[in-house]
Amino acid sequence: MALQRVGASLGMEREEAELRAMTWRFWVALALTLPMVALEMGGHFIDLNYEYDLEAMTVGWIELLLATPVVLWLAAPFFARGWRSLNMFTLI
């Protein structure tokens, strides 16, 4: 794992840059995921009847637009490492 610090090394700047990039990706993914979760699950926690105001197709498209960047762009490093490894750890 490149994100774990083992000790002082010459590649420390690269590891810190990767950690900063992953932290930034996490916060962007969280910002895109929270509205999607609120849209989908909000009616279960708060008695909101927004389903009647928004059509199911519209809600689906909004959720697709929010989820696509998270899965394809922000999670791309995880997919790339999984594809490169292709071993039993990929399943974990």
Side-chain angles (χ1 to χ4, degrees):
M1 293 281 299
L3 297 178
Q4 292 178 338
R5 286 193 181 190
V6 178
S9 67
L10 296 175
M12 185 74 85
E13 295 85 19
R14 182 173 178 255
E15 291 176 4
E16 288 180 3
E18 185 178 3
L19 179 61
R20 281 193 305 272
M22 291 301 285
T23 303
W24 181 80
R25 286 177 186 259
F26 168 76
W27 289 111
V28 172
L30 184 67
L32 291 172
T33 303
L34 286 178
M36 184 176 59
V37 171
L39 185 63
E40 182 62 31
M41 302 302 289
H44 297 286
F45 297 115
I46 302 170
D47 190 24
L48 297 175
N49 292 326
Y50 63 84
E51 294 94 9
Y52 300 113
D53 297 335
L54 295 173
E55 294 182 19
M57 190 71 137
T58 306
V59 172
W61 280 107
I62 293 170
E63 291 172 356
L64 178 71
L65 290 174
L66 289 172
T68 300
V70 173
V71 172
L72 294 180
W73 179 58
L74 297 170
F78 295 107
F79 291 139
R81 285 184 183 171
W83 185 259
R84 281 192 309 257
S85 67
L86 287 180
N87 58 19
M88 203 56 192
F89 292 111
T90 306
L91 297 175
I92 298 172

